Amino acid sequence: MGQLQERYKNYREPQKYMEADVYPYFRAITSKQGTEVEMGGHKVLMFGSNAYTGLTGDQRIIDAAKAALDKYGSGCAGSRFLNGTLDLHIELEKEISKFIQKDDCLCFSTGFSVNQGVLAMVVGKGDYIICDDRDHASIVDGRRLSFARQLHYKHNDMSDLERVLQGLPHEAIKLIVVDGVFSMEGDLANLPAIVELKHKYNCSIMVDEAHGLGVFGQCGRGVCDHFGLTDEVDLIMGTFSKSLASIGGFIASDSDTINFLRHTCRTYIFSASNTPAATAAALEALHILQEEPERIEALWSVTNYALKRFREEGFEIGETESPIIPLYVHDISKTFLVTSMAFKAGVFINPVIPPACAPQDTLVRFALMSTHTEEQVDRAVGILKKIFIELGIIK
């Protein structure tokens, strides 16, 4: 046995939960993503998806992907920097720039690689990255790759952010990086206050709109648009894997910053470009998002209904302001148990445990799509209430 095998042979944490029949990961779905999915030969209500607009099974998107597959083939066999740029990629970048209302943008193969690559390049030695304690893992990994000094502040605590900024040189580049919507708790960044501090302390701002795109703002432009602060945000990141029913991501900014990143960002230059089918799917989803504002209206209608129902039934849901509803459990073992019991009763939800949250803040994540119905919400709330009472989480 080699050294690596020797090191990891005793890693059996997952097996502990498998043996207890509460292991909640890698559950195989055998149908399209929708409000109900096929799993293990039967249907379950899907409240564990990020498909906020409900577009993942839309036939128009499927047809656009098929057409791109026929025209361009299955892949590009290279990076955007070399042989991997299609006219389709350029078209998508132009339309995203117009939609987000920034000069230019770059499209990447995944959202994770956007944050990882951009943060590694856009700030360096002598600069500072300041992050919210609950920023997404891709932001954490991106900042680790940067040579900038890394600082953080307590979640959404503007006094603590100001405390951090007060100690930094006025003339230094200081980039505040924050999720627009925090993906586990569902609350929003206090962007108006962050912008005030930007001007007070001579900073720049990057906002991750992964969970804001397609949910907030005019036509789903995101949290920056929701607050009317797009012009104040220097870099806006977004993904295609949620509201845009595909895979990939983008960074949008002024033309000079994008020009720099286009020629230096390693996860852009050295990654194979996004497939023709995925690119066409994202482009078609972007069109539908703008043509059908009723989708966002339906999302907010069912979200507000679900928020009301969970509060009525005594669940602890924190400060969420989005279609992401955290149902706090405050116990790791019970979090896995809730997930397992819910699944067996026909409701798919996701467990959130460390490192995605603090040990005392474990929760199950209940997320909505515009295509969910109030009747589906009622069914899920009834099932979850019974489980939470049985486990002594709520009365």
Side-chain angles (χ1 to χ4, degrees):
M1 183 177 288
Q3 288 176 309
L4 284 177
Q5 291 79 9
E6 187 68 30
R7 173 183 289 177
Y8 298 121
K9 71 177 183 179
N10 294 321
Y11 176 65
R12 290 294 178 266
E13 191 69 13
Q15 283 71 19
K16 180 174 72 175
Y17 293 105
M18 290 176 189
E19 290 164 6
D21 195 28
V22 294
Y23 183 73
Y25 305 120
F26 305 105
R27 293 172 280 179
I29 298 169
T30 56
S31 66
K32 293 176 184 176
Q33 287 272 350
T35 60
E36 293 188 68
V37 296
E38 289 277 351
M39 300 184 75
H42 64 280
K43 286 187 176 181
V44 297
L45 289 170
M46 172 53 75
F47 286 103
S49 173
N50 295 318
Y52 304 115
T53 54
L55 285 171
T56 47
D58 192 283
Q59 193 59 46
R60 293 166 293 180
I61 294 174
I62 294 169
D63 290 342
K66 286 179 178 178
L69 193 62
D70 288 338
K71 180 176 180 179
Y72 299 100
S74 59
C76 299
S79 73
R80 289 290 306 278
F81 200 60
L82 299 174
N83 66 300
T85 290
L86 304 175
D87 54 356
L88 201 59
H89 293 124
I90 295 170
E91 182 182 357
L92 179 58
E93 287 175 340
K94 287 180 178 177
E95 295 216 17
I96 289 172
S97 301
K98 183 179 178 182
F99 180 69
I100 297 296
Q101 299 177 335
K102 287 294 184 185
D103 293 346
D104 202 355
C105 84
L106 296 180
C107 289
F108 292 64
S109 301
T110 68
F112 197 106
S113 65
V114 179
N115 284 335
Q116 193 176 46
V118 169
L119 289 174
M121 288 307 306
V122 79
V123 286
K125 288 181 179 178
D127 302 334
Y128 298 84
I129 298 178
I130 307 100
C131 295
D132 187 291
D133 269 345
R134 296 187 189 169
D135 277 348
H136 189 263
S138 58
I139 294 174
V140 173
D141 282 8
R143 82 184 190 205
R144 285 172 176 168
L145 290 173
S146 172
F147 290 108
R149 185 179 172 191
Q150 299 169 36
L151 303 167
H152 60 90
Y153 60 95
K154 296 174 185 175
H155 176 55
N156 254 347
D157 187 331
M158 296 298 99
S159 295
D160 197 42
L161 173 57
E162 183 161 23
R163 176 193 61 79
V164 171
L165 295 175
Q166 283 173 341
L168 304 183
H170 183 79
E171 67 280 2
I173 291 177
K174 301 173 288 293
L175 180 64
I176 303 168
V177 188
V178 67
D179 287 5
V181 180
F182 290 92
S183 58
M184 296 298 110
E185 297 85 4
D187 53 337
L188 306 189
N190 189 347
L191 198 53
I194 293 172
V195 167
E196 286 185 20
L197 292 172
K198 164 189 171 171
H199 291 292
K200 185 174 180 180
Y201 293 99
N202 190 32
C203 302
S204 301
I205 301 173
M206 176 174 166
V207 174
D208 181 329
E209 288 278 22
H211 296 270
L213 194 70
V215 178
F216 289 90
Q218 185 180 5
C219 293
R221 286 189 172 91
V223 171
C224 299
D225 183 84
H226 168 73
F227 285 118
L229 294 171
T230 297
D231 289 343
E232 295 281 4
V233 176
D234 302 273
L235 295 144
I236 296 177
M237 175 270 183
T239 59
F240 306 144
S241 56
K242 299 169 178 66
S243 290
L244 295 185
S246 184
I247 185 71
F250 68 86
I251 190 72
S253 189
D254 64 278
S255 55
D256 290 333
T257 301
I258 294 299
N259 176 56
F260 169 76
L261 290 170
R262 182 177 282 119
H263 296 91
T264 61
C265 185
R266 293 169 68 86
T267 58
Y268 179 78
I269 294 172
F270 296 105
S271 289
S273 58
N274 215 348
T275 65
T279 306
L283 184 60
E284 182 63 20
L286 186 62
H287 294 160
I288 295 170
L289 192 61
Q290 295 173 86
E291 293 162 3
E292 299 180 0
E294 62 269 20
R295 282 188 174 273
I296 298 175
E297 293 169 10
L299 173 62
W300 278 104
S301 177
V302 74
T303 293
N304 289 329
Y305 181 76
L307 289 168
K308 173 175 170 289
R309 291 290 292 113
F310 279 118
R311 288 188 176 112
E312 286 174 348
E313 299 298 343
F315 288 84
E316 182 188 346
I317 63 172
E319 304 298 322
T320 182
E321 301 176 64
S322 72
I324 300 165
I325 304 178
L327 308 176
Y328 283 92
V329 178
H330 301 296
D331 181 282
I332 293 174
S333 295
K334 284 186 179 180
T335 299
F336 281 128
L337 197 54
V338 167
T339 306
S340 176
M341 292 171 71
F343 182 69
K344 289 172 183 175
V347 178
F348 187 111
I349 49 177
N350 291 312
V352 180
I353 63 166
C357 67
Q360 69 273 16
D361 292 330
T362 65
L363 58 97
V364 289
R365 182 181 183 275
F366 187 98
L368 293 142
M369 309 178 213
S370 66
T371 42
H372 277 123
T373 66
E374 292 184 359
E375 185 274 332
Q376 288 174 323
V377 170
D378 282 335
R379 267 197 284 158
V381 171
I383 289 168
L384 290 169
K385 182 181 180 183
K386 183 178 179 181
I387 293 167
F388 271 59
I389 290 174
E390 183 178 338
L391 296 177
I393 303 166
I394 61 173
K395 295 181 180 180

